[in-house]
Amino acid sequence: MKSYQTLGMPYDADMFTTGNTSNGCGHAPRTVFEGVRTTGADFITKGFRRNNITIKTDHTVDKVLIERDSSTGGQRATGVRIVSQDGEVSTARARREVIVSGGAYCSPAILLRSGVGPAAELQRLGVECKSDLPGVGRNLMDHLIVFVFYETEVPGLTTDHLVYHGDSFASTYNLWKEKKTGFLSTFPFGAFAFARLDERLADEPLWRDAPREPGRDPMGLTPSQPNIEFFHTECYGGPKQYDKFPIDNKHAFAMISELFAPKSKGSVTLESTDPLAKPVVDHNYHADPLDVLVLTEAVRLGNEVIMKGEGTRDIVKGSWPQDLTHHAHTNREDWEDYVRLNATTCEFFLNNPLPRLFVPPFECKISDMLCFSFTQATTPPEHAKWERTMIRWLCWTPNCGCEV
């Protein structure tokens, strides 16, 4: 925390709940109860099971069933077609409405198989077009993150000894299994920070000359919104490509830089109508040079936090793995190749992705369809109060009586 403050990010004890901190540091709320990380599923499982909810695991939604409504002449979503892992097909009928909430990748896939999407793409797939919606599967945006690892020789400063040294993981796992305490019972990140980069990028031509709307920066953010987020790990770890574990009594941690409001936009499409086939995801990372510029400057600032900050400058031995030298980088140019090579994303349990799919409302409205909602909530639990991204549209026919 002292290192963030050294680099101009003051401490804010309530930074995640007010939405007013664009430049500051603090602690994230931990959504953990009795040693288990909580999720929205807790409201309908465990001690809250209800007889009006049926949870079908190991099933995939193929499509929404859309039928012509004889009373209005429009279309109505009447249910869903689902497929089990062994290929058994069944149908669930809706009395009031169908809510699609399949995540950033699967929601557009379900809509496309249902006949809702760009007409040309539906024709290519051999799917009857129920509603020509060019926005379905477009505008995929992902908050890229970059892990930068450092080594420290200070014993006990990280928690690597609880997972990587000797047979420690076995005892760590048993402790959690039996008592729901210890390393696995907590959120494995330390302090967090938000930062604006206006001053650091003021003389950069790409930033200075980029078009912008009144009161917003080139990324579309207001001065009250941060450009980036920092957080650090309490041990070595991250997405599966990071496998240089600090065994043999070594210790490592990461400074993570996250890009807010990316400009690059990708897509989600289908190669076939097979519901068990994975959708084709093209993130189109780094397509907009502003994304590279901002994320590179973020990583540069993050390195300064570690190497110059009061709380960390005296405990870092160097880069991790030991054959790298990124801790000595000082210029933005030094970091660009690192960012292009190492920028990545996160994957939650059950392959529920972090990226969000944003379809502008004018592209989403299905003017002749009843009882069809699209719900998307893709903010990590720790950010829910700060960056709540919940989209819920009810696609409706005028005067049909449905709630809008």
Side-chain angles (χ1 to χ4, degrees), residues 1-230:
M1 203 71 74
K2 289 183 179 179
S3 292
Y4 288 128
Q5 295 175 64
T6 303
L7 271 293
M9 289 164 268
Y11 177 69
D12 183 345
D14 207 20
M15 64 179 289
F16 278 98
T17 59
T18 64
N20 298 325
T21 303
S22 61
N23 200 81
C25 64
H27 292 285
R30 266 57 169 168
T31 53
V32 176
F33 180 67
E34 294 182 347
V36 178
R37 191 174 182 182
T38 61
T39 72
D42 293 341
F43 290 96
I44 56 174
T45 60
K46 299 180 179 176
F48 301 96
R49 291 187 180 273
R50 295 186 253 173
N51 57 16
N52 63 342
I53 295 177
T54 300
I55 301 173
K56 296 185 76 68
T57 60
D58 300 323
H59 282 71
T60 299
V61 175
D62 176 10
K63 65 178 70 176
V64 178
L65 302 176
I66 300 171
E67 301 173 358
R68 184 64 59 182
D69 188 288
S70 58
S71 62
T72 64
Q75 298 183 94
R76 178 184 293 271
T78 61
V80 293
R81 182 179 186 266
I82 58 179
V83 182
S84 67
Q85 284 186 331
D86 58 9
E88 181 181 351
V89 177
S90 58
T91 298
R93 290 288 177 179
R95 288 192 293 267
R96 181 170 180 179
E97 66 176 327
V98 174
I99 299 174
V100 177
S101 184
Y105 302 149
C106 296
S107 284
I110 294 170
L111 293 176
L112 291 170
R113 290 194 297 267
S114 305
V116 178
E121 185 173 348
L122 298 175
Q123 183 178 17
R124 176 182 63 81
L125 293 167
V127 175
E128 179 187 357
C129 181
K130 300 288 187 177
S131 185
D132 181 10
L133 266 182
V136 173
R138 302 298 183 264
N139 300 311
L140 177 68
M141 293 181 286
D142 189 354
H143 295 292
L144 276 174
I145 57 177
V146 179
F147 284 72
V148 181
F149 291 98
Y150 302 87
E151 183 180 9
T152 178
E153 290 184 312
V154 181
L157 189 62
T158 73
T159 53
D160 294 296
H161 61 286
L162 299 176
V163 283
Y164 301 127
H165 298 173
D167 60 354
S168 59
F169 183 77
S171 58
T172 293
Y173 178 74
N174 287 334
L175 179 63
W176 179 83
K177 194 72 174 176
E178 295 172 4
K179 298 183 178 181
K180 294 295 185 293
T181 59
F183 174 84
L184 295 176
S185 68
T186 63
F187 186 58
F189 297 104
F192 284 65
F194 294 140
R196 291 287 308 178
L197 299 179
D198 309 83
E199 294 183 6
R200 296 178 67 95
L201 296 174
D203 296 329
E204 168 57 47
L206 178 61
W207 180 267
R208 183 191 64 217
D209 301 335
R212 66 192 74 192
E213 297 179 4
R216 295 183 179 272
D217 66 19
M219 307 304 286
L221 297 170
T222 69
S224 64
Q225 296 173 302
N227 294 117
I228 56 172
E229 180 182 43
F230 294 121

Side-chain angles (χ1 to χ4, degrees), residues 144-147 241-242 285-286 295 338-345:
L144 276 174
I145 57 177
V146 179
F147 284 72
Q241 64 265 35
Y242 297 114
Y285 290 143
H286 309 311
L295 193 51
Y338 187 98
V339 167
R340 290 185 179 277
L341 179 64
N342 293 285
T344 185
T345 188

